[in-house]
Amino acid sequence: MIDWIRSLGASATSSVEGLGQLAVFGGELTTSLVKPPSRFGFFLRALYDAGVLSVALIALSGFTVGMVLGLQLYTTLSRFGAEEGLGAVVGLSLVRELGPVVCGLLVTGRAGSAVTAEVGSMKATEQLDGLRMMAINPIHFVAMPRALALAVAMPLLNALFIVFAIAGAFVIGVSNQGLDGGVYIAGLESAVRFADDVGQSLLKSLVFGMLLGLVATYKGYSCSPNAAGVARATTSTVVTASVAILLSDYIITALWGV
Amino acid sequence: MQLAFGHRPVYDGLECRMRKGEIHLLLGGSGTGKSTLLRMIGGLQRPDSGIVRVAGHDLAGLRERDLGEIRKGIGMLFQNGALLDSMTVLENVGLPLREHTKQSRVEIEERVSSVLSAVGLDDVQSLLPRELSGGMLRRVAFARAIVMEPEILLCDEPFSGLDPLNVTRIEDLLVRLNKELGLTVVVTSHHMASSLRMADQMILMRDRICVSGTPEELAGGDDEGVIEFLGEDGRSFLARLHEIRDHGNVGDGSSAGDLR
Amino acid sequence: MQSNASRDLVVGLFVLVGLGALAYLSLQVGGLEFGSQEKIVLRATFDDIGGLSARAPVRVAGVKIGQVSGISLDDDLRATVSMEIETGLDLSIDSSAAIRTAGLLGDQFIAVELGAEDESLQDGEEFSFTESALSIDKLVGRLVHDAGVSN
């Protein structure tokens, strides 16, 4: 019993300690955003890895999600004779929820895990220590450009995802099921508002991108320096970032006031 | 100084001093903490208790930024090179110059190619680390460690994986840097003959402590651990060392690194 | 850092396409407007606005000409609806505003029916004639009540 309580205490202490380290890391990451020299070249490279290489996945997934939405919602709506609401329902659900969340989870799996694996293997092969010995801060040199790239790529990928999904639902609803294209677009445009819906979507994807950037670089930076440690850290990034995205999604939605 | 990983103590009451301007050879079987000692001199790891002093600074009390200032005077060669694998050889070797000096691109390129040819490498500037062989990688990493002309050079197993020709080349380079620039060198090795030729001081690590002295002192001493590690051949080799050594002892310098 | 012209170009393209998608969502889908187009505000008072909500469209002959910008209760506890209307439409001062429903269950909107006078409504003026929302539940309620009475 005593042992059990002791192990509970130990795990509580270590998780608080972990949070503290994450906070310190986040603080250093933030201050290194403005510290010279700028790491623009590394940022571009990281943006290529996180953004450009995710475009195909995001476009394909967006289109597929749109097609599924079009099919499901059209069938459901037509039961109530409300097919013309398809554009509105598709638009609102995509812009407010599905876009940022699904895109966030996809980018976590595609790019976030890759960042952790890369930073982690740099740690395992002493590249981070090598930088420190050259008096170069690895958080500034390695983590910051990658975290920033994830935060910048996410809103852009989110917008792409939504546009492709709108197109996917259009293809099913209009070309396949025979809804009038004008009705679909008009419903979409009259239902979706910038201030409420697009703004919320942007905020969410930006927050998700920043969370992912923080988690992915921290997990790589703090992993144990061997192959197994890198593998564990990569898994941990996907799990932690996914949970963080879903939790913060609820919080933002609740605070925004639907 | 004490250090333990988990419940396994690595050092217990380790104490040694390294003098400025001398070449120190750190010997010991694997697992005796040679690399760890180097990492502690570089400030990458802290002892559980005790003091690591480098050039008069107690590393334990320093923050990362202040450590950075000290590290600008330290070059370190890691066991597997630790080159950045997304950057070319030129960018890797030139990185400390680009970060810490105001030299132009052309000046950096010139300096990098002169350092690279000193370690026997030409025409590798535009290659990525993964395109290099193990021995070339080691030599590129060596070039990066000395490109800033540090005062202290820490080399973790610099000779493993090198062919005899390049071992000699690196040895000569180390001795030359030591003679001409007063470079303080700490070299670890589990294989002593390869690097004995140049050592001013030998530090033998065993049983969580260390025994240090000039090669002659260690050869003539009666410490059982030393005798066991060196073996009869080693001792007789050491005894003949002054004959084959191609440079004399360097006089005592001021204290560069104290380890206690 | 190895500068790689073609990679930088692709990154630039990615950013452009992403911003394009963002602009499409904001401007076209989201209806974000910069440098506010001239608008006039008209008001109308209703006994019952039913399910009318802010940003519901205002239409003339089925064409959207503006949207509801605010709903409040006046001193007589009637609903005052203010709406932003495009300028230059010359809605005559005896036009009427009616709350209608798109389809049986659709969203509610304000339908403006034009009057005959030459003079037109100016910024800040109020519709003289209004028609409240016809709510389905009231209709159903009345139907059930009538059926009950006739039994």
Side-chain angles (χ1 to χ4, degrees):
Chain A
M1 185 64 192
I2 299 280
D3 281 349
W4 184 78
I5 294 176
R6 189 180 293 141
S7 73
L8 187 71
S11 69
T13 315
S14 76
S15 61
V16 169
E17 217 173 78
L19 272 183
Q21 281 164 2
L22 180 66
V24 171
F25 181 85
E28 251 193 88
L29 200 61
T30 315
T31 52
S32 69
L33 279 175
V34 292
K35 249 191 269 172
S38 90
R39 303 291 183 193
F40 193 68
F42 294 111
F43 167 72
L44 277 188
R45 187 199 178 90
L47 192 57
Y48 179 84
D49 290 341
V52 176
L53 296 183
S54 303
V55 165
L57 170 75
I58 290 298
L60 183 68
S61 317
F63 200 77
T64 318
V65 166
M67 294 203 317
V68 170
L69 274 184
L71 198 57
Q72 291 278 18
L73 291 176
Y74 187 89
T75 324
T76 313
L77 287 171
S78 63
R79 278 196 220 162
F80 307 104
E83 298 95 324
E84 61 269 29
L86 184 67
V89 181
V90 164
L92 285 178
S93 54
L94 273 174
V95 170
R96 298 177 80 130
E97 281 301 329
L98 285 176
V101 171
V102 176
C103 179
L105 296 179
L106 286 171
V107 175
T108 296
R110 165 68 188 75
S113 58
V115 164
T116 303
E118 191 189 4
V119 177
S121 67
M122 288 179 79
K123 178 167 188 185
T125 53
E126 293 183 309
Q127 291 179 49
L128 299 186
D129 282 336
L131 285 170
R132 290 169 69 195
M133 283 313 297
M134 288 186 277
I136 298 171
N137 184 347
I139 294 183
H140 188 230
F141 193 85
V142 174
M144 183 274 284
R146 288 171 174 78
L148 185 64
L150 284 172
V152 168
M154 191 71 95
L156 300 175
L157 291 171
N158 175 38
L160 276 179
F161 182 90
I162 294 172
V163 169
F164 271 91
I166 287 173
F170 185 93
V171 166
I172 294 300
V174 175
S175 313
N176 192 12
Q177 305 282 352
L179 180 71
D180 181 65
V183 169
Y184 174 79
I185 296 293
L188 176 74
E189 289 180 3
S190 71
V192 179
R193 300 282 146 189
F194 178 79
D196 292 325
D197 308 321
V198 181
Q200 188 179 358
S201 190
L202 268 179
L203 176 72
K204 279 181 176 174
S205 58
L206 191 65
V207 170
F208 297 169
M210 295 194 301
L211 280 174
L212 177 59
L214 174 66
V215 170
T217 50
Y218 174 73
K219 292 286 179 187
Y221 186 80
S222 63
C223 78
S224 42
N226 49 57
V230 175
R232 252 198 320 276
T234 308
T235 311
S236 171
T237 288
V238 174
V239 173
T240 312
S242 302
V243 171
I245 284 174
L246 293 172
L247 263 181
S248 62
D249 178 54
Y250 177 77
I251 294 172
I252 295 172
T253 309
L255 289 182
W256 192 279
V258 185
Chain B
M1 179 172 69
Q2 293 186 329
L3 177 86
F5 290 129
H7 296 296
R8 189 175 71 88
V10 180
Y11 313 128
D12 191 2
L14 178 84
E15 178 172 351
C16 69
R17 287 162 176 273
M18 299 179 191
R19 271 179 301 197
K20 185 174 181 175
E22 294 195 354
I23 298 182
H24 304 79
L25 181 61
L26 213 54
L27 283 171
S30 57
T32 48
K34 302 186 300 284
S35 303
T36 310
L37 189 58
L38 282 194
R39 291 173 59 83
M40 286 201 279
I41 299 173
L44 293 173
Q45 245 169 306
R46 291 170 198 270
D48 293 340
S49 66
I51 304 167
V52 181
R53 278 200 290 153
V54 173
H57 300 279
D58 179 4
L59 298 188
L62 294 179
R63 288 177 308 161
E64 191 71 16
R65 196 188 318 152
D66 305 318
L67 277 177
E69 288 307 311
I70 293 176
R71 285 174 183 155
K72 284 180 189 171
I74 303 179
M76 183 154 178
L77 172 64
F78 288 86
Q79 233 175 70
N80 49 20
L83 296 175
L84 295 162
D85 42 31
S86 60
M87 297 168 83
T88 63
V89 169
L90 172 65
E91 289 163 343
N92 260 298
V93 179
L95 183 63
L97 297 171
R98 216 189 60 186
E99 289 287 320
H100 300 306
T101 68
K102 290 190 163 40
Q103 295 183 26
S104 71
R105 179 176 284 268
V106 180
E107 286 170 319
I108 290 178
E109 274 175 35
E110 280 170 6
R111 169 78 184 142
V112 168
S113 51
S114 81
V115 174
L116 281 175
S117 59
V119 296
L121 290 171
D122 295 296
D123 300 326
V124 295
Q125 270 90 329
S126 58
L127 296 180
L128 289 171
R130 65 167 174 271
E131 295 162 333
L132 301 174
S133 73
M136 289 161 91
L137 210 66
R138 188 68 52 86
R139 283 183 283 156
V140 172
F142 188 82
R144 187 178 71 175
I146 60 173
V147 75
M148 287 283 280
E149 297 182 353
E151 291 160 31
I152 303 173
L153 183 63
L154 310 173
C155 299
D156 202 354
E157 302 283 350
F159 305 118
S160 66
L162 285 189
D163 55 279
L165 185 72
N166 279 309
V167 169
T168 315
R169 192 200 299 271
I170 300 283
E171 273 180 358
D172 289 346
L173 189 61
L174 275 176
V175 171
R176 212 180 76 214
L177 289 170
N178 170 254
K179 288 256 187 261
E180 291 173 7
L181 302 172
L183 181 71
T184 311
V185 182
V186 185
V187 172
T188 72
S189 182
H190 58 270
H191 174 59
M192 88 188 152
S194 64
S195 38
L196 266 180
R197 201 164 58 90
M198 60 182 190
D200 297 316
Q201 288 282 329
M202 277 177 62
I203 299 160
L204 186 63
M205 306 202 50
R206 57 171 204 91
D207 294 341
R208 306 192 281 277
I209 57 163
C210 67
V211 184
S212 63
T214 62
E216 289 81 359
E217 284 166 8
L218 285 189
D222 51 5
D223 187 296
E224 279 176 27
V226 178
I227 295 168
E228 190 186 337
F229 182 81
L230 296 177
E232 263 320 301
D233 293 349
R235 293 188 81 196
S236 58
F237 178 72
L238 282 182
R240 290 185 288 114
L241 192 67
H242 60 278
E243 296 162 15
I244 52 174
R245 201 201 287 256
D246 58 359
H247 69 279
N249 273 326
V250 178
D252 285 1
S254 61
S255 172
D258 293 296
L259 287 156
R260 185 157 62 232
Chain C
M1 188 62 227
Q2 196 179 8
S3 82
N4 183 331
S6 62
R7 193 193 61 216
D8 292 353
L9 182 71
V10 180
V11 173
L13 272 179
F14 162 69
V15 172
L16 278 184
V17 170
L19 286 178
L22 212 56
Y24 169 73
L25 285 181
S26 305
L27 303 176
Q28 188 67 31
V29 177
L32 178 68
E33 279 161 2
F34 293 108
S36 64
Q37 204 186 345
E38 288 284 302
K39 291 269 169 67
I40 61 169
V41 175
L42 298 180
R43 278 178 293 124
T45 306
F46 299 92
D47 292 329
D48 183 359
I49 58 167
L52 189 76
S53 59
R55 293 195 314 272
V58 179
R59 301 173 190 273
V60 168
V63 178
K64 185 180 171 187
I65 57 162
Q67 63 176 21
V68 172
S69 56
I71 297 170
S72 58
L73 271 182
D74 69 5
D75 297 340
D76 304 330
L77 298 183
R78 283 156 47 101
T80 300
V81 174
S82 44
M83 46 201 125
E84 292 172 343
I85 308 285
E86 291 168 26
T87 49
L89 283 172
D90 291 337
L91 305 173
S92 58
I93 55 169
D94 57 341
S95 296
S96 67
I99 298 177
R100 295 275 158 77
T101 305
L104 192 59
L105 298 165
D107 279 341
Q108 292 189 302
F109 64 95
I110 294 185
V112 175
E113 271 152 41
L114 296 180
E117 295 284 336
D118 290 338
E119 218 177 319
S120 54
L121 285 166
Q122 300 300 315
D123 190 21
E125 287 187 330
E126 188 166 343
F127 284 98
S128 328
F129 307 102
T130 62
E131 191 181 312
S132 288
L134 197 61
S135 86
I136 299 255
D137 25 327
K138 266 191 197 164
L139 270 182
V140 172
R142 194 180 300 160
L143 208 64
V144 171
H145 178 74
D146 288 354
V149 167
S150 65
N151 281 348

